[in-house]
Amino acid sequence: MTGPTAPCILAQGLFKSFGSKAAVAGLDLAVFPGEIYGLLGPNGAGKTTTLKMLCGLLRPDRGRVAIGGADIRENPVEAKRRLGFIPDNPYIYDVLTGREFLTMVAGLYGIGRSQAGDRITELAGRLQASDWLDQRAEGYSHGMRQKLVLASALLHRPDAYLIDEPLVGLDPASILTVRQIFLQEAARGACLLISTHTLSLAESICGRIGIIARGRLAAQGTLAELRCLSQNNHADLESLYLEFTTS
């Protein structure tokens, strides 16, 4: 008999303030292997601050974060080795080509040059990036940068993904490709935490959804569970989102 599956992304009692403003106020969150979890909320609700604490870019005032069981404060290298992070503002080095950037990232994760070359070629094909991968990044559009950062997160096949607004700047065909990649990553056992304003994305691929307001989880669960919390069995996600973020 097997025990319950441990969460791959775990946040316990996260607090973060900027001056007198509490951006995140006592957040508990658990995302499990093979799960796609959508984090929804209005601007300023604490979504990006939460993701930055989960990946180690911000240190919480209080609380604990673990990635794949590794505490991000006590064992940051191991926690980040298990993680792929896609920020809302894709930053890359303009003087490098896309291939050079990905080769650099592969080196940071200890991927050998031959293996990295094969993996980069594979990802470039999946993301329709082969035609421009050897051009310098200074000429890339936002959508091209978004694809490159996505490829950099996929390179080392991490256990967990933190993803902030993944579809901004992408054309419809690329959106379909990215959705399929997310589903494939979940199918191999990775967990994905996706912060987004794109309700259709959350509704189509997320098993559970958390709605954050004023730095706290106002509600979380499957769409059916959110409807039960709302006591409206026919509410769509947009109606539920508005209810839980304005109440």
Side-chain angles (χ1 to χ4, degrees):
M1 182 175 179
T2 59
T5 302
C8 195
I9 297 173
L10 178 67
Q12 296 176 312
L14 289 188
F15 282 83
K16 184 65 181 179
S17 296
F18 298 99
S20 61
K21 176 178 172 56
V24 176
L27 188 74
D28 294 309
L29 194 65
V31 188
F32 296 87
E35 180 178 28
I36 303 178
Y37 185 105
L39 188 63
L40 310 180
N43 293 332
K47 302 187 303 300
T48 295
T49 299
T50 296
L51 263 63
K52 287 183 176 180
M53 287 191 287
L54 291 175
C55 74
L57 286 176
L58 282 177
R59 174 169 287 192
D61 299 331
R62 299 197 301 278
R64 175 177 180 264
V65 171
I67 306 295
D71 188 291
I72 204 160
R73 181 176 292 186
E74 297 175 358
N75 197 354
V77 173
E78 181 59 23
K80 293 175 184 180
R81 185 186 66 81
R82 301 178 182 187
L83 185 64
F85 178 49
I86 303 171
D88 59 337
N89 185 20
Y91 178 80
I92 53 181
Y93 296 101
D94 284 349
V95 297
L96 300 180
T97 68
R99 190 181 303 277
E100 289 169 342
F101 176 77
L102 292 177
T103 300
M104 179 191 71
V105 172
L108 294 174
Y109 285 103
I111 303 173
R113 183 169 290 273
S114 176
Q115 182 184 357
D118 292 342
R119 181 69 170 149
I120 290 167
T121 298
E122 173 200 345
L123 291 171
R126 290 173 71 186
L127 291 165
Q128 299 89 45
S130 302
D131 290 344
W132 46 264
L133 195 66
D134 292 303
Q135 299 173 15
R136 283 175 56 158
E138 62 186 355
Y140 288 0
S141 67
H142 184 90
M144 293 160 75
R145 290 171 180 266
Q146 193 78 0
K147 287 183 180 182
L148 190 64
V149 170
L150 174 57
S152 72
L154 291 164
L155 265 175
H156 63 296
R157 295 183 174 89
D159 299 327
Y161 291 91
L162 298 171
I163 304 166
D164 200 354
E165 291 296 349
L167 303 185
V168 175
L170 297 182
D171 57 73
S174 297
I175 288 172
L176 291 174
T177 298
V178 169
R179 284 183 179 181
Q180 188 61 34
I181 287 172
F182 290 166
L183 290 169
Q184 290 168 348
E185 289 301 295
R188 75 167 178 84
C191 76
L192 297 86
L193 174 58
I194 302 175
S195 171
T196 183
H197 289 299
T198 309
L199 299 187
S200 60
L201 174 69
E203 196 162 9
S204 64
I205 70 170
C206 295
R208 286 192 301 145
I209 292 168
I211 299 175
I212 188 171
R214 295 175 289 279
R216 299 179 183 272
L217 271 182
Q220 72 170 334
T222 65
L223 188 56
E225 289 168 343
L226 292 175
R227 285 172 176 153
C228 288
L229 290 173
S230 168
Q231 298 183 341
N232 183 346
N233 292 330
H234 303 290
D236 59 14
L237 183 55
E238 181 178 1
S239 300
L240 294 167
Y241 171 86
L242 292 172
E243 175 183 344
F244 288 119
T245 56
T246 58
S247 60

